[in-house]
Amino acid sequence: MSTVPAAPVHRRPVALARGFLTGGVIGATLSAFVVGIILERVPLILAALGLPLAYGVLVFVAGMPRRAREAAVVPRVALAKVESLRAGGTETGDVPVDLVLTVAPDDAPSYRAEVTHQVNLVDLPGFRRGDVVVVEYPPDRPWQVRIVPRPAPAWERRRAGATVESAPESALVRSPPEGCAAGAVTLTGLLLAAAAVLVLFRADLFGPESSEPPIEPPATSVTSSAGSATVTVGPGQTLLDAGELRRVVDSLAGNADVSQVLTAVVEERRLSVVFAPTAAAVPRFDLRAVPFEQIPDLVGKAVHTSDAGSPRSWQVVVDPFSVRVTVTGPEGSSSSTPCGGSPAAEGCAWPPGR
């Protein structure tokens, strides 16, 4: 009774290791790409895209010795009988034809093999069931059968008058399956690599988010010249914010002598200061002595009691003798002073030079 040629035993440890690495590369690539997008880290995204390319190059280089050994194997030539064929669709001049062949080696039992052969549309009618063709295959991989399109004259003469007996369907030879172990190892590598990437970036992905926005130092702009200075606070800030005026004055004190001030004008986002000339005998005051904590209340009362209309703008003018709050709107402007218009009243902190 004929027997099917024995398939060579695969190097199972090597195949399993390759499967584990392949799964690891797939898992790391997908996980790193998703994490890079979530965290908006371009280097991580680029690394995820470059990893499979580097692995592909590594696999290609590592497989060069094996491919060289396979190419050095002299293929065996034999006659084969077409048991069945089925043509596929194509948009080119060559048609892929799936054939089941009975291969009849001279020194081994006949067996069946499945092969896909590219046939030109012009030559397609020449392939029929029962035809005898010349094939070749590696002796250690009998399932890798290839039809020889132009056989040597000796084999062409043998083919012309040959008759090949059909091998039983049970004699069909296929590439040995890798089995469930290879799939399990690949899946394990995929999951472990994906988990490793998530663990590596767990602090950024799953760390506690602060419920309060980060405190940023207030942005101020200081412009000064020989006799004046202007301090402007950043967007979203106002000099009526708690402690903001005091902070602005302290900031200005680091750039100018605020003890020799002739007049100061406070607006919503800007403080303008005019300094007294050094040699001139004119009244002056220390800007740090101004009770800035009272200005928000002064402005609030002036705005609510003003009949200037809406919208309104305001400014506070401070000099050595008085303080005046002016509210301007579409219907005019109005001014008011603290302490009921009497700075000399008991407990009145105005004027600053008092």
Side-chain angles (χ1 to χ4, degrees), residues 124-187:
L124 186 59
F127 279 83
R128 298 181 300 272
R129 182 178 180 181
D131 286 352
V132 177
V133 294
V134 180
V135 298
E136 63 180 14
Y137 61 91
D140 57 341
R141 299 181 302 279
W143 56 87
Q144 292 185 2
V145 177
R146 187 181 71 89
I147 295 178
V148 180
R150 296 179 181 83
W155 282 99
E156 184 65 33
R157 289 192 295 269
R158 287 186 59 181
R159 183 193 68 82
T163 301
V164 177
E165 294 294 334
S166 298
E169 294 184 2
S170 60
L172 182 64
V173 175
R174 289 191 176 96
S175 174
E178 295 184 355
C180 298
V185 168
T186 301
L187 180 61

Side-chain angles (χ1 to χ4, degrees), residues 85-311:
L85 70 163
R86 182 180 60 187
T90 182
E91 296 180 357
T92 63
D94 292 337
V95 178
V97 180
D98 297 326
L99 302 102
V100 177
L101 304 175
T102 291
V103 182
D106 292 338
D107 55 353
S110 300
Y111 65 94
R112 288 197 178 199
E114 295 177 343
V115 60
T116 299
H117 183 61
Q118 297 289 334
V119 182
N120 192 275
L121 287 172
V122 178
D123 301 330
L124 186 59
F127 279 83
R128 298 181 300 272
R129 182 178 180 181
D131 286 352
V132 177
V133 294
V134 180
V135 298
E136 63 180 14
Y137 61 91
D140 57 341
R141 299 181 302 279
W143 56 87
Q144 292 185 2
V145 177
R146 187 181 71 89
I147 295 178
V148 180
R150 296 179 181 83
W155 282 99
E156 184 65 33
R157 289 192 295 269
R158 287 186 59 181
R159 183 193 68 82
T163 301
V164 177
E165 294 294 334
S166 298
E169 294 184 2
S170 60
L172 182 64
V173 175
R174 289 191 176 96
S175 174
E178 295 184 355
C180 298
V185 168
T186 301
L187 180 61
T188 301
L190 187 150
L191 296 177
L192 289 178
V197 173
L198 294 178
V199 169
L200 186 62
F201 294 95
R202 66 185 184 280
D204 297 327
L205 289 172
F206 310 111
E209 296 184 0
S210 176
S211 58
E212 299 181 358
I215 300 177
E216 299 180 357
T220 57
S221 173
V222 180
T223 303
S224 61
S225 60
S228 64
T230 301
V231 183
T232 304
V233 297
Q237 297 175 272
T238 172
L239 291 179
L240 295 183
D241 293 341
E244 187 65 21
L245 258 173
R246 182 63 62 186
R247 186 193 67 81
V248 167
V249 171
D250 292 341
S251 174
L252 181 60
N255 298 277
D257 184 7
V258 296
S259 65
Q260 306 296 319
V261 176
L262 182 62
T263 181
V265 179
V266 180
E267 298 174 282
E268 185 172 5
R269 295 183 52 226
R270 181 172 56 192
L271 170 65
S272 303
V273 178
V274 177
F275 299 102
T278 303
V282 296
R284 62 198 69 195
F285 66 93
D286 190 338
L287 188 62
R288 290 168 294 190
V290 176
F292 289 111
E293 294 76 11
Q294 298 181 18
I295 287 184
D297 291 336
L298 295 178
V299 173
K301 291 178 181 179
V303 169
H304 284 90
T305 58
S306 173
D307 56 358
S310 182

Side-chain angles (χ1 to χ4, degrees), residues 294 297-299 301-302 305 315-319 321-327 334-344 348 350-351:
Q294 298 181 18
D297 291 336
L298 295 178
V299 173
K301 291 178 181 179
T305 58
Q315 70 174 12
V316 179
V317 180
V318 182
D319 59 39
F321 303 104
S322 65
V323 58
R324 183 174 66 258
V325 182
T326 302
V327 179
S334 61
S335 299
S336 62
T337 58
C339 304
S342 177
C348 184
W350 303 93

